[in-house]
Amino acid sequence: EPEVTQTPSHQVTQMGQEVILRCVPISNHLYFYWYRQILGQKVEFLVSFYNNEISEKSEIFDDQFSVERPDGSNFTLKIRSTKLEDSAMYFCASSPMDGELFFGEGSRLTVL
Amino acid sequence: GENVEQHPSTLSVQEGDSAVIKCTYSDSASNYFPWYKQELGKRPQLIIDIRSNVGEKKDQRIAVTLNKTAKHFSLHITETQPEDSAVYFCAASRSNYQLIWGAGTKLIIKP
């Protein structure tokens, strides 16, 4: 069964450093998303991406964040200058036209 | 914007009994309501979803009901088993773009 894959599974970084989280969505899906989940809290929407552009973003997704689809398979989330409060699990998801989200295993980001 | 409230935050039931988790939403234009199960340290997994043109949907021991007038929807799990223990999230969306999630319910199944 096809899956969304994410790398790295865990990244530890120093405050102020740039981080890139990578995702390979399911190949025939059209919509791509990033969500984050701070430990013990609910899942929060960051951004959605369709037709090679951002379609929606939340208040969390400020100028420190950016997304790219550099080639036909990868979908990346970049955090330019990490803050302590960016520590969370970041989930990539993709969906076909019918709206069901398929999540990756997540990338745990720890900012020290 | 959309706001999703979920109750209770923790639910403890005896194995074999039923569990009900309730959510309300604020955006009357929301038309898609999935429920996700998340085990500790794992990704959320879709267990059932319902669209606004349907009032109820059932899949074996799991059912979801939707009341559009009252803007609430509920997850029902019957004959609960130990493997049902997890955190359950409801969500609502009016597009393919953004799911707004509830705060989660920790379901504990007591043997």
Side-chain angles (χ1 to χ4, degrees), chain A residues 56-71:
Chain A
E56 273 190 320
K57 59 183 180 179
S58 70
E59 291 174 355
I60 303 168
F61 194 87
D62 60 22
D63 292 344
Q64 293 284 65
F65 291 88
S66 62
V67 288
E68 261 195 336
R69 190 157 161 80
D71 52 42

Side-chain angles (χ1 to χ4, degrees), chain A residues 15-77:
Chain A
M15 193 169 56
Q17 294 296 304
E18 177 182 284
V19 160
I20 297 176
L21 305 178
R22 292 182 166 79
C23 170
V24 179
I26 294 173
S27 62
N28 61 345
H29 284 186
L30 301 176
Y31 296 87
F32 315 116
Y33 311 82
W34 283 100
Y35 285 82
R36 81 169 185 194
Q37 186 177 32
I38 295 169
L39 188 63
Q41 297 186 24
K42 68 176 172 180
V43 179
E44 298 174 293
F45 170 78
L46 292 179
V47 66
S48 60
F49 195 85
Y50 171 70
N51 202 24
N52 286 320
E53 61 183 18
I54 290 174
S55 46
E56 273 190 320
K57 59 183 180 179
S58 70
E59 291 174 355
I60 303 168
F61 194 87
D62 60 22
D63 292 344
Q64 293 284 65
F65 291 88
S66 62
V67 288
E68 261 195 336
R69 190 157 161 80
D71 52 42
S73 59
N74 290 286
F75 179 51
T76 62
L77 175 70

Side-chain angles (χ1 to χ4, degrees), chain A residues 3-4 31 33 35 37 41-43 45 48 50 55-56 89 91 96-101 103-105, chain B residues 3-4 32 36 38 41-46 49 51 89 94-104:
Chain A
E3 280 196 339
V4 176
Y31 296 87
Y33 311 82
Y35 285 82
Q37 186 177 32
Q41 297 186 24
K42 68 176 172 180
V43 179
F45 170 78
S48 60
Y50 171 70
S55 46
E56 273 190 320
M89 181 74 92
F91 289 105
M97 289 295 289
D98 65 5
E100 178 183 346
L101 294 187
F103 283 87
E105 294 279 7
Chain B
N3 184 45
V4 177
Y32 177 62
Y36 285 86
Q38 188 178 32
K42 301 277 185 72
R43 69 181 118 185
Q45 293 202 301
L46 181 72
D49 57 9
R51 295 190 182 272
F89 291 95
R94 61 180 177 90
S95 68
N96 268 346
Y97 299 161
Q98 179 177 169
L99 274 180
I100 304 299
W101 296 63

Side-chain angles (χ1 to χ4, degrees), chain B residues 45-63:
Chain B
Q45 293 202 301
L46 181 72
I47 55 171
I48 195 167
D49 57 9
I50 191 168
R51 295 190 182 272
S52 57
N53 57 346
V54 174
E56 184 174 358
K57 185 175 177 181
K58 192 173 180 181
D59 182 4
Q60 299 181 355
R61 296 186 298 109
I62 295 171

Side-chain angles (χ1 to χ4, degrees), chain B:
Chain B
E2 174 70 281
N3 184 45
V4 177
E5 300 282 340
Q6 182 172 349
H7 300 280
S9 56
T10 305
L11 177 61
S12 185
V13 301
Q14 206 69 40
E15 183 179 349
D17 288 350
S18 295
V20 180
I21 302 170
K22 298 181 179 181
C23 286
T24 59
Y25 61 98
S26 60
D27 186 352
S28 56
S30 290
N31 56 14
Y32 177 62
F33 307 92
W35 285 89
Y36 285 86
K37 176 183 180 182
Q38 188 178 32
E39 295 173 355
L40 193 62
K42 301 277 185 72
R43 69 181 118 185
Q45 293 202 301
L46 181 72
I47 55 171
I48 195 167
D49 57 9
I50 191 168
R51 295 190 182 272
S52 57
N53 57 346
V54 174
E56 184 174 358
K57 185 175 177 181
K58 192 173 180 181
D59 182 4
Q60 299 181 355
R61 296 186 298 109
I62 295 171
V64 56
T65 58
L66 171 65
N67 183 328
K68 284 177 59 181
T69 305
K71 289 190 281 189
H72 67 69
F73 56 114
S74 301
L75 177 71
H76 305 251
I77 306 174
T78 58
E79 300 170 24
T80 51
Q81 299 167 4
E83 53 265 36
D84 294 331
S85 293
V87 178
Y88 290 80
F89 291 95
C90 65
S93 170
R94 61 180 177 90
S95 68
N96 268 346
Y97 299 161
Q98 179 177 169
L99 274 180
I100 304 299
W101 296 63
T105 297
K106 183 175 182 180
L107 178 62
I108 300 165
I109 307 300
K110 296 181 291 186

